[in-house]
Amino acid sequence: MKSSAAKHMSLLVLALALSLSCLGSSALAANETDPSSAALPPASGTMSEEEELAELSSVFMPIVKEGSNAFKAMKDEVGKKCTAEYPPSSFPATEDGLVEMVENYTRCFSDKLGFPIATGYRGPLAEEEAIFTTHKPASNWTGISEGQLVPSGSVMKSFLGVAAFNVLNSTEGAVTWDTPMYPFVNRVLSRDFNTSLDELFDDKRIKDVTIQQLLSMESGLKDYSEDMAPEFIGYGPGNTQEASFTPIEYIDNMIQTWGNKLSCDPGTCYYYSSNGFAFAGMMLVDILGLDSWKDLDILELAFQSNPGLKSEFNNTVASTPNKLCSEYGQLPDGSNRVVNQWSENGTNLYDYDCLDGWAFGNLMIDAPDTASWFWHLYGLRDILGTEDVDLMLTPTNTSSTYGLASEINSMQWQGNLNNRYSWAGHMGTDWGSSNNGAGLFMPNAKDNGKERAFALSLTQNDLSIHGEDDFAQTTSLTRASTVYLANAIIQLLEKNFEDS
């Protein structure tokens, strides 16, 4: 077993490797330092591990810090330029002014980042209907039209969390958040996948994992490897795969990647695990007595406590197994129902499988419906009761940025969000698109009438713009831009509240 210092040294070297791989030549130029020429400490053989760690830190940490600062500067650049071009004070504090602001910022972000963006807003000055605007650069790209569905990956996790509340409430206490998943999930694994938790894991602790731990990323499970992206994308042109990847294949990949043991005692560590949501979905399948994992209708369950609200969400669809994105048809104007989306290597995924990750990622939704979902869930609180929403928004014991099926304050890490506001929601990235800032921006001063909550969503449909090595920058840059738009909206709303 490695000592604590050795473990930290490994983490430092890993951080360095990750940082340098992300920096590229531009970051090195800004740093004016060639890491390969850095003077390493001499291997004298007389230094303790702690001393070696201190020496390595003194050499490498300035490089790592500089790399982080360089990337942050790149994230801030577009937002600062668009704010300078369209100062928030230049827009009237009215509904028309808000619409004009959202349109101008969306166009500015899209042109400067170089890919299509569609924005949805729901909140003050647009309480009855969400604002929608879209723009694409002057190029051959297909933009995002009104009503088009954008595969949005992990945004589905918030819907599954709400579905779990409604299912557990229907058991009248027979199944609670502290109930272990073991018997429920085992029955589904045995029937649908011919396996069991005991066969999958060489770890008795798997029997202790509860549904709340699954949905709070505290189960001890790790995640699948995105190196399998070509396979997970599913069948399509030139792909010999004949059907959608099933939940068990994501789980098998996790075990092949990380091993068949939990990373900690359940409830004692945080690790982002989409597979935890797959197991939670199986648990709901068994509680409801469904014939197959394929029969779980997450969206129907999510609106169970307020079924009349579902009619507002016409552009919210759960993708189904073995169905290509192109098979969801067209809109009345002839445009594709599901937006074209480009993977990191530039492949148009329109003729590929659209299932993505089942219970943890099979959502297709547009920006206005995304904003409206979080406006109703966290803002109006007419989807779940206040106590249930408070539980969703309570950070776990092991993470300050995750609650129950909810990301908390993650947008503060994407940019300098107005410090009077916080954020909660659930963003998502698919194989060729992403849904950013998907959540509610909330005033910290709950009783301050001059500051009110609003929901935002910026969707985009091209992960290829930065190439295969840096495709994640597309999502990161869009999220940072969302913070700048949110800050501008906050200024406009504050002015409106002062004038009213």
Side-chain angles (χ1 to χ4, degrees):
M1 181 178 290
K2 293 182 180 180
S3 70
S4 175
K7 287 181 181 178
H8 290 160
M9 191 178 300
S10 297
L11 290 173
L12 176 63
V13 174
L14 175 61
L16 173 68
L18 291 174
S19 298
L20 294 181
S21 68
C22 293
L23 290 182
S25 59
S26 61
L28 290 176
N31 190 38
E32 296 184 346
T33 302
D34 179 358
S36 66
S37 65
L40 294 175
S44 65
T46 61
M47 299 173 66
S48 69
E49 287 181 333
E50 287 76 9
E51 289 171 331
E52 290 177 2
L53 177 60
E55 287 281 2
L56 285 171
S57 297
S58 67
V59 173
F60 288 134
M61 290 311 290
I63 302 174
V64 174
K65 183 178 180 181
E66 185 68 29
S68 176
N69 291 339
F71 184 65
K72 185 179 185 301
M74 182 169 59
K75 290 172 65 174
D76 288 341
E77 181 180 2
V78 169
K80 288 180 178 179
K81 286 184 177 179
C82 291
T83 303
E85 288 183 27
Y86 301 102
S89 59
S90 66
F91 297 93
T94 62
E95 180 178 355
D96 289 341
L98 176 62
V99 170
E100 184 182 359
M101 170 182 282
V102 174
E103 289 176 346
N104 280 299
Y105 273 71
T106 299
R107 181 175 63 252
C108 186
F109 294 154
S110 176
D111 283 338
K112 294 186 185 304
L113 293 174
F115 48 78
I117 292 178
T119 302
Y121 167 92
R122 188 77 182 269
L125 301 179
E127 296 184 4
E128 300 301 319
E129 184 178 2
I131 293 171
F132 171 77
T133 187
T134 183
H135 182 76
K136 71 181 184 73
S139 66
N140 293 326
W141 272 301
T142 303
I144 304 173
S145 300
E146 185 171 6
Q148 281 192 307
L149 304 175
V150 178
S152 294
S154 290
V155 178
M156 178 56 100
K157 290 182 172 70
S158 65
F159 286 87
L160 183 70
V162 173
F165 271 100
N166 289 329
V167 171
L168 265 60
N169 288 340
S170 71
T171 71
E172 298 180 343
V175 183
T176 71
W177 290 112
D178 295 325
T179 301
M181 70 162 177
Y182 183 79
F184 306 92
V185 172
N186 255 350
R187 284 189 286 266
V188 175
L189 286 173
S190 176
R191 181 195 64 199
D192 292 354
F193 304 111
N194 195 31
T195 188
S196 68
L197 288 170
D198 299 293
E199 293 176 359
L200 292 169
F201 296 93
D202 181 21
D203 195 327
K204 293 182 179 179
R205 295 176 296 179
I206 197 69
K207 295 183 178 181
D208 302 325
V209 176
T210 68
I211 185 171
Q212 182 164 355
Q213 290 165 349
L214 292 172
L215 296 180
S216 300
M217 307 292 186
E218 292 189 302
S219 64
L221 294 165
K222 290 194 174 183
D223 216 352
Y224 61 88
S225 170
E226 294 197 358
D227 290 341
M228 290 286 288
E231 289 80 5
F232 289 151
I233 286 173
Y235 62 99
N239 192 328
T240 58
Q241 188 175 321
E242 296 180 353
S244 297
F245 255 53
T246 65
I248 196 62
E249 289 168 296
Y250 284 90
I251 293 165
D252 282 342
N253 174 262
M254 172 188 69
I255 293 171
Q256 291 168 14
T257 303
W258 301 105
N260 60 359
K261 295 184 182 295
L262 299 181
S263 58
C264 67
D265 291 337
T268 66
C269 69
Y270 170 85
Y271 198 99
Y272 191 95
S273 176
S274 291
N275 281 316
F277 280 69
F279 282 134
M282 294 180 197
M283 191 169 178
L284 299 187
V285 167
D286 188 73
I287 294 171
L288 294 168
L290 303 178
D291 293 333
S292 168
W293 66 274
K294 299 177 183 178
D295 297 331
L296 183 66
D297 191 335
I298 297 170
L299 299 184
E300 188 69 30
L301 293 169
F303 289 102
Q304 194 173 67
S305 56
N306 190 348
L309 192 62
K310 192 181 180 193
S311 61
E312 182 181 322
F313 292 83
N314 295 317
N315 297 318
T316 303
V317 175
S319 52
T320 55
N322 307 324
K323 192 171 183 178
L324 304 179
C325 295
S326 57
E327 293 177 329
Y328 285 86
Q330 279 74 43
L331 294 171
D333 64 1
S335 57
N336 300 329
R337 179 76 168 118
V338 179
V339 71
N340 288 272
Q341 46 169 335
W342 282 266
S343 70
E344 59 195 64
N345 65 4
T347 300
N348 186 344
L349 301 178
Y350 182 63
D351 286 320
Y352 282 78
D353 180 29
C354 238
L355 180 63
D356 194 7
W358 187 51
F360 61 77
N362 66 325
L363 182 71
M364 302 185 296
I365 190 170
D366 68 357
D369 272 19
T370 304
S372 293
W373 166 252
F374 289 109
W375 168 246
H376 280 284
L377 177 60
Y378 298 144
L380 299 181
R381 301 195 173 196
D382 55 2
I383 294 176
L384 291 176
T386 295
E387 289 187 4
D388 292 342
V389 175
D390 285 343
L391 179 58
M392 294 186 77
L393 298 181
T394 300
T396 66
N397 292 328
T398 59
S399 174
S400 62
T401 59
Y402 210 88
L404 196 154
S406 299
E407 294 177 312
I408 304 168
N409 291 331
S410 299
M411 290 307 292
Q412 278 86 322
W413 294 95
Q414 306 299 327
N416 297 319
L417 181 65
N418 185 309
N419 60 18
R420 294 190 301 281
Y421 272 68
S422 57
W423 173 92
H426 214 301
M427 297 180 280
T429 301
D430 212 281
W431 302 120
S433 54
S434 63
N435 199 325
N436 306 284
L440 192 77
F441 291 84
M442 301 171 286
N444 296 322
K446 303 298 182 183
D447 299 326
N448 190 336
K450 294 183 179 181
E451 297 179 319
R452 302 181 188 178
F454 61 91
L456 264 183
S457 165
L458 268 68
T459 58
Q460 62 84 26
N461 64 326
D462 189 355
L463 294 183
S464 71
I465 188 68
H466 292 286
E468 293 188 63
D469 293 335
D470 296 315
F471 71 93
Q473 287 190 19
T474 304
T475 296
S476 184
L477 292 168
T478 311
R479 291 178 177 180
S481 298
T482 306
V483 172
Y484 278 91
L485 175 56
N487 287 336
I489 291 172
I490 290 169
Q491 293 182 52
L492 185 145
L493 293 180
E494 288 177 345
K495 183 179 177 182
N496 172 266
F497 301 146
E498 291 172 358
D499 293 345
S500 62

